[in-house]
Structures are given as structure tokens and as C-alpha cells.
Amino acid sequence: AQSVTQPDIHITVSEGASLELRCNYSYGATPYLFWYVQSPGQGLQLLLKYFSGDTLVQGIKGFEAEFKRSQSSFNLRKPSVHWSDAAEYFCAVGPLNTGTASKLTFGTGTRLQVTL
Amino acid sequence: GAGVSQSPRYKVAKRGQDVALRCDPISGHVSLFWYQQALGQGPEFLTYFQNEAQLDKSGLPSDRFFAERPEGSVSTLKIQRTQQEDSAVYLCASSLLEGGTGELFFGEGSRLTVL
């Protein structure tokens, strides 16, 4: 069965500092990979996704993620964090070749706190 | 509105009551998903519709859970004889494409508390 691990439950960074959120997955092949953000009282919003091709993926709000097959990782990065980035971040995987890439398996999330 | 709308936003039920949660997807979206998000956890897949057809209900935790989308637009998730372990946020998401290979748009969720 596929699974997603986000080892950091809670991360605090200063505004302007760089950010990296870790995500590791377990799957029999390369799945579809996603990062979502959830702000309090808001629905999940897609930040970026990887299906194939270039392993460095650019997303919205200045985020990027790099797929590393050898490490089964899909870490999310941002060079300079803004206070408005404080939220819960979820990594997710979707099954390849079943036609339901959005039957997602989510990690438990990483809560990002930004200090001014 | 232009997004996925869910109602009610908050529901408190006594144990044993039946509840119905509604989802209005984005107009024209073919795929519709229900997810359950327990406190402190990531969302977990419940069921998937392609238009009015329920193609996957493998995530429904018990036969007390039932979902429908009779006209291929609005969907209802029904939970019968609610239990405390049903307390969670229920998220609905829709996608324009079949198979959900496009971007998923999530609603704000319906928070169910079972006393």
C-alpha cells in the first residue's frame, strides 16, 4: 500500500528565511506527487504537482519542489518565507495508470509557523 | 460562488443520529471526491464519482456511510447512526477532468462533531 511520511509535525521559521518541508513516499512505482496548503478555515489549495519530466517543479506563491527518485522524496522549498505562508502543508501521492490520480493518499501534514 | 461549496459548515449530532452533508461542486466538473480529515491528520479518501456514477467507494469506513450524486452535480454524504469516531472534517473536491487527473478544487469542509 502506498504511504506518505512528513517527518516534521511543526516547523517555525523567521520571515525572510528559507524553508524546506520534507516528504517521503512509499510506492511500487513513481506516483503522481502533490503539495497542498491548508490555511485555517480554508479548503486545501494545490501548490504544485509532479507527473513526469523535469524533476524540479515550480508552483504558486514562489514554492518549488524537487522529485528525487533515489530517495523517494518530494521536498517542498521556498527561498524566502512570508508571514502569510503560515499554514498546514500536506504532501500527497496519487496512483499512476489507474485513471484516478486524484484518489490521493495524504501525509499527516506539517504546520508552519512564521515569526516576524 | 465559483468554488466548491459545502454545507453545513458545522454540524453537531448526538450519537445515533443520522446526518447529511452536501457538496456543490464547481459547475461542469466531472469528477467529485469525498475525503475525511480527522483532527491532526491528513485527509483520507472516502469515495469518488464520475458524473453520477460512483466508481470507487473503497474508502467508506462502514455501511453506515453512503454517498450519492444522482444528477451528476450536487453530492450528498450521509452517515447513519453516527458514532463518536465519525467526528471529523468532511472535505469535498471536484475536478474538471475524468479520472481526476486534473487539479482538485477543495471546499472548506463540513466539521462534524458527534457527542
Side-chain angles (χ1 to χ4, degrees):
Chain A
Q2 58 198 43
S3 66
V4 179
T5 301
Q6 293 182 248
D8 303 306
I9 297 173
H10 186 202
I11 284 183
T12 299
V13 299
S14 300
E15 188 174 39
S18 64
L19 172 70
E20 182 170 29
L21 302 182
R22 296 183 289 166
C23 173
N24 291 93
Y25 67 89
S26 174
Y27 195 67
T30 300
Y32 295 134
L33 296 160
F34 305 82
W35 274 99
Y36 281 84
V37 61
Q38 187 177 37
S39 298
Q42 304 288 318
L44 289 157
Q45 181 182 22
L46 179 66
L47 285 176
L48 47 78
K49 61 186 178 184
Y50 173 78
F51 282 6
S52 65
D54 192 347
T55 57
L56 184 63
V57 180
Q58 301 298 320
I60 62 171
K61 303 183 180 184
F63 286 92
E64 66 178 26
E66 185 172 12
F67 168 59
K68 293 186 177 180
R69 184 191 306 272
S70 62
Q71 299 177 18
S72 296
S73 70
F74 189 56
N75 294 348
L76 182 71
R77 301 193 295 248
K78 186 170 184 177
S80 177
V81 169
H82 187 263
W83 64 267
S84 60
D85 293 324
E88 187 95 21
Y89 291 80
F90 292 94
C91 180
V93 302
L96 193 63
N97 298 328
T98 65
T100 55
S102 294
K103 181 182 177 180
L104 302 177
T105 298
F106 285 84
T108 52
T110 297
R111 179 168 297 278
L112 173 65
Q113 183 176 357
V114 180
T115 58
L116 300 178
Chain B
V4 177
S5 178
Q6 293 188 245
S7 61
R9 289 292 312 279
Y10 303 92
K11 176 69 178 178
V12 178
K14 292 182 179 179
R15 182 180 168 189
Q17 283 185 330
D18 298 347
V19 299
L21 308 176
R22 176 188 169 103
C23 173
D24 269 288
I26 294 173
S27 178
H29 277 199
V30 170
S31 299
L32 186 145
F33 294 77
W34 284 97
Y35 286 82
Q36 180 192 57
Q37 186 175 19
L39 187 64
Q41 301 296 315
E44 293 191 356
F45 171 82
L46 293 177
T47 187
Y48 160 60
F49 290 86
Q50 182 177 308
N51 295 308
E52 69 279 3
Q54 188 175 20
L55 299 186
D56 189 336
K57 55 182 180 179
S58 61
L60 296 176
S62 77
D63 59 7
R64 296 186 295 104
F65 286 71
F66 172 76
E68 60 182 4
R69 194 187 184 196
E71 297 179 358
S73 55
V74 171
S75 178
T76 303
L77 176 67
K78 297 179 180 178
I79 309 173
Q80 297 177 325
R81 304 181 304 281
T82 53
Q83 304 294 315
Q84 284 190 323
E85 60 263 29
D86 300 335
S87 296
V89 176
Y90 291 86
L91 298 170
C92 176
S94 69
S95 175
L96 180 61
L97 301 178
E98 295 180 3
T101 53
E103 178 178 349
L104 271 185
F105 293 85
F106 281 85
E108 295 176 346
S110 291
R111 182 179 295 277
L112 172 64
T113 302
V114 182
L115 303 177

